[in-house]
PDB file of all heavy atoms in Angstrom:
ATOM      1  N   VAL H 102     127.343  92.418  76.123  1.00 97.00           N
ATOM      2  CA  VAL H 102     128.185  93.555  76.479  1.00 97.00           C
ATOM      3  C   VAL H 102     127.335  94.527  77.289  1.00 97.00           C
ATOM      4  O   VAL H 102     126.112  94.605  77.151  1.00 97.00           O
ATOM      5  CB  VAL H 102     128.755  94.252  75.233  1.00 97.00           C
ATOM      6  CG1 VAL H 102     127.675  94.871  74.395  1.00 97.00           C
ATOM      7  CG2 VAL H 102     129.823  95.272  75.598  1.00 97.00           C
ATOM      8  N   TYR H 104     127.536  98.664  79.155  1.00 96.00           N
ATOM      9  CA  TYR H 104     128.189  99.929  79.484  1.00 96.00           C
ATOM     10  C   TYR H 104     127.488 100.514  80.691  1.00 96.00           C
ATOM     11  O   TYR H 104     126.255 100.504  80.773  1.00 96.00           O
ATOM     12  CB  TYR H 104     128.125 100.907  78.331  1.00 96.00           C
ATOM     13  CG  TYR H 104     128.858 100.477  77.087  1.00 96.00           C
ATOM     14  CD1 TYR H 104     128.180  99.916  76.021  1.00 96.00           C
ATOM     15  CD2 TYR H 104     130.250 100.620  77.005  1.00 96.00           C
ATOM     16  CE1 TYR H 104     128.869  99.519  74.871  1.00 96.00           C
ATOM     17  CE2 TYR H 104     130.935 100.254  75.848  1.00 96.00           C
ATOM     18  CZ  TYR H 104     130.245  99.686  74.796  1.00 96.00           C
ATOM     19  OH  TYR H 104     130.915  99.290  73.685  1.00 96.00           O
ATOM     20  N   HIS H 105     128.276 101.062  81.609  1.00 94.00           N
ATOM     21  CA  HIS H 105     127.685 101.679  82.805  1.00 94.00           C
ATOM     22  C   HIS H 105     127.742 103.207  82.691  1.00 94.00           C
ATOM     23  O   HIS H 105     128.730 103.765  82.242  1.00 94.00           O
ATOM     24  CB  HIS H 105     128.440 101.244  84.068  1.00 94.00           C
ATOM     25  CG  HIS H 105     128.383  99.762  84.310  1.00 94.00           C
ATOM     26  ND1 HIS H 105     129.513  98.981  84.386  1.00 94.00           N
ATOM     27  CD2 HIS H 105     127.338  98.928  84.446  1.00 94.00           C
ATOM     28  CE1 HIS H 105     129.162  97.727  84.597  1.00 94.00           C
ATOM     29  NE2 HIS H 105     127.850  97.663  84.624  1.00 94.00           N
ATOM     30  N   GLU H 110     124.384 110.169  79.607  1.00 96.00           N
ATOM     31  CA  GLU H 110     125.752 110.021  79.055  1.00 96.00           C
ATOM     32  C   GLU H 110     125.875 108.908  78.049  1.00 96.00           C
ATOM     33  O   GLU H 110     126.914 108.729  77.435  1.00 96.00           O
ATOM     34  CB  GLU H 110     126.721 109.731  80.222  1.00 96.00           C
ATOM     35  CG  GLU H 110     126.710 110.857  81.284  1.00 96.00           C
ATOM     36  CD  GLU H 110     127.446 110.441  82.541  1.00 96.00           C
ATOM     37  OE1 GLU H 110     127.880 109.275  82.636  1.00 96.00           O
ATOM     38  OE2 GLU H 110     127.587 111.283  83.449  1.00 96.00           O
ATOM     39  N   VAL H 111     124.825 108.106  77.846  1.00 97.00           N
ATOM     40  CA  VAL H 111     124.899 106.974  76.910  1.00 97.00           C
ATOM     41  C   VAL H 111     124.987 107.498  75.498  1.00 97.00           C
ATOM     42  O   VAL H 111     124.120 108.263  75.051  1.00 97.00           O
ATOM     43  CB  VAL H 111     123.666 106.064  77.072  1.00 97.00           C
ATOM     44  CG1 VAL H 111     123.720 104.930  76.022  1.00 97.00           C
ATOM     45  CG2 VAL H 111     123.614 105.484  78.479  1.00 97.00           C
ATOM     46  N   THR H 112     126.009 107.085  74.767  1.00 98.00           N
ATOM     47  CA  THR H 112     126.165 107.512  73.380  1.00 98.00           C
ATOM     48  C   THR H 112     125.383 106.600  72.442  1.00 98.00           C
ATOM     49  O   THR H 112     125.059 105.450  72.802  1.00 98.00           O
ATOM     50  CB  THR H 112     127.645 107.501  72.980  1.00 98.00           C
ATOM     51  OG1 THR H 112     128.112 106.144  72.949  1.00 98.00           O
ATOM     52  CG2 THR H 112     128.494 108.314  73.945  1.00 98.00           C
ATOM     53  N   ASP H 113     125.117 107.090  71.258  1.00 98.00           N
ATOM     54  CA  ASP H 113     124.451 106.242  70.260  1.00 98.00           C
ATOM     55  C   ASP H 113     125.290 105.003  69.931  1.00 98.00           C
ATOM     56  O   ASP H 113     124.754 103.914  69.733  1.00 98.00           O
ATOM     57  CB  ASP H 113     124.201 107.038  68.975  1.00 98.00           C
ATOM     58  CG  ASP H 113     123.080 108.055  69.145  1.00 98.00           C
ATOM     59  OD1 ASP H 113     122.304 107.949  70.128  1.00 98.00           O
ATOM     60  OD2 ASP H 113     122.964 108.955  68.259  1.00 98.00           O
ATOM     61  N   ALA H 114     126.600 105.177  69.930  1.00 98.00           N
ATOM     62  CA  ALA H 114     127.494 104.045  69.625  1.00 98.00           C
ATOM     63  C   ALA H 114     127.412 102.970  70.686  1.00 98.00           C
ATOM     64  O   ALA H 114     127.381 101.779  70.396  1.00 98.00           O
ATOM     65  CB  ALA H 114     128.933 104.532  69.479  1.00 98.00           C
ATOM     66  N   GLU H 115     127.337 103.388  71.955  1.00 98.00           N
ATOM     67  CA  GLU H 115     127.217 102.422  73.057  1.00 98.00           C
ATOM     68  C   GLU H 115     125.886 101.696  72.979  1.00 98.00           C
ATOM     69  O   GLU H 115     125.828 100.473  73.152  1.00 98.00           O
ATOM     70  CB  GLU H 115     127.392 103.128  74.398  1.00 98.00           C
ATOM     71  CG  GLU H 115     128.808 103.601  74.666  1.00 98.00           C
ATOM     72  CD  GLU H 115     128.908 104.422  75.941  1.00 98.00           C
ATOM     73  OE1 GLU H 115     127.884 104.982  76.381  1.00 98.00           O
ATOM     74  OE2 GLU H 115     130.027 104.540  76.470  1.00 98.00           O
ATOM     75  N   TRP H 116     124.814 102.455  72.769  1.00 98.00           N
ATOM     76  CA  TRP H 116     123.494 101.831  72.660  1.00 98.00           C
ATOM     77  C   TRP H 116     123.469 100.810  71.524  1.00 98.00           C
ATOM     78  O   TRP H 116     122.981  99.681  71.695  1.00 98.00           O
ATOM     79  CB  TRP H 116     122.448 102.930  72.419  1.00 98.00           C
ATOM     80  CG  TRP H 116     121.041 102.387  72.330  1.00 98.00           C
ATOM     81  CD1 TRP H 116     120.423 101.864  71.245  1.00 98.00           C
ATOM     82  CD2 TRP H 116     120.115 102.268  73.400  1.00 98.00           C
ATOM     83  NE1 TRP H 116     119.153 101.453  71.563  1.00 98.00           N
ATOM     84  CE2 TRP H 116     118.922 101.689  72.884  1.00 98.00           C
ATOM     85  CE3 TRP H 116     120.131 102.622  74.760  1.00 98.00           C
ATOM     86  CZ2 TRP H 116     117.807 101.444  73.653  1.00 98.00           C
ATOM     87  CZ3 TRP H 116     118.999 102.367  75.538  1.00 98.00           C
ATOM     88  CH2 TRP H 116     117.868 101.801  74.989  1.00 98.00           C
ATOM     89  N   ASP H 117     124.040 101.195  70.370  1.00 98.00           N
ATOM     90  CA  ASP H 117     124.060 100.289  69.233  1.00 98.00           C
ATOM     91  C   ASP H 117     124.906  99.052  69.508  1.00 98.00           C
ATOM     92  O   ASP H 117     124.518  97.931  69.110  1.00 98.00           O
ATOM     93  CB  ASP H 117     124.615 101.009  67.992  1.00 98.00           C
ATOM     94  CG  ASP H 117     123.643 102.061  67.464  1.00 98.00           C
ATOM     95  OD1 ASP H 117     122.438 102.026  67.838  1.00 98.00           O
ATOM     96  OD2 ASP H 117     124.059 102.912  66.659  1.00 98.00           O
ATOM     97  N   ASP H 118     126.049  99.218  70.185  1.00 98.00           N
ATOM     98  CA  ASP H 118     126.910  98.080  70.525  1.00 98.00           C
ATOM     99  C   ASP H 118     126.106  97.077  71.363  1.00 98.00           C
ATOM    100  O   ASP H 118     126.186  95.846  71.131  1.00 98.00           O
ATOM    101  CB  ASP H 118     128.128  98.521  71.333  1.00 98.00           C
ATOM    102  CG  ASP H 118     129.215  99.113  70.457  1.00 98.00           C
ATOM    103  OD1 ASP H 118     129.117  98.985  69.208  1.00 98.00           O
ATOM    104  OD2 ASP H 118     130.163  99.694  71.010  1.00 98.00           O
ATOM    105  N   VAL H 119     125.413  97.572  72.356  1.00 98.00           N
ATOM    106  CA  VAL H 119     124.655  96.681  73.250  1.00 98.00           C
ATOM    107  C   VAL H 119     123.579  95.923  72.509  1.00 98.00           C
ATOM    108  O   VAL H 119     123.462  94.690  72.619  1.00 98.00           O
ATOM    109  CB  VAL H 119     124.063  97.477  74.424  1.00 98.00           C
ATOM    110  CG1 VAL H 119     123.087  96.631  75.236  1.00 98.00           C
ATOM    111  CG2 VAL H 119     125.176  98.017  75.326  1.00 98.00           C
ATOM    112  N   PHE H 120     122.782  96.634  71.699  1.00 98.00           N
ATOM    113  CA  PHE H 120     121.679  95.967  71.022  1.00 98.00           C
ATOM    114  C   PHE H 120     122.163  95.103  69.852  1.00 98.00           C
ATOM    115  O   PHE H 120     121.562  94.076  69.540  1.00 98.00           O
ATOM    116  CB  PHE H 120     120.630  96.995  70.582  1.00 98.00           C
ATOM    117  CG  PHE H 120     119.604  97.211  71.635  1.00 98.00           C
ATOM    118  CD1 PHE H 120     119.866  98.047  72.705  1.00 98.00           C
ATOM    119  CD2 PHE H 120     118.375  96.595  71.568  1.00 98.00           C
ATOM    120  CE1 PHE H 120     118.932  98.238  73.716  1.00 98.00           C
ATOM    121  CE2 PHE H 120     117.416  96.760  72.559  1.00 98.00           C
ATOM    122  CZ  PHE H 120     117.698  97.596  73.648  1.00 98.00           C
ATOM    123  N   ALA H 165     120.797 100.801  78.644  1.00 98.00           N
ATOM    124  CA  ALA H 165     120.796 100.023  77.385  1.00 98.00           C
ATOM    125  C   ALA H 165     120.840  98.527  77.667  1.00 98.00           C
ATOM    126  O   ALA H 165     120.070  97.752  77.064  1.00 98.00           O
ATOM    127  CB  ALA H 165     121.992 100.428  76.511  1.00 98.00           C
TER     128      ALA H 165
END
Side-chain angles (χ1 to χ4, degrees):
V102 65
Y104 296 101
H105 299 121
E110 301 168 356
V111 176
T112 66
D113 287 345
E115 289 174 339
W116 182 275
D117 290 345
D118 281 349
V119 170
F120 271 80

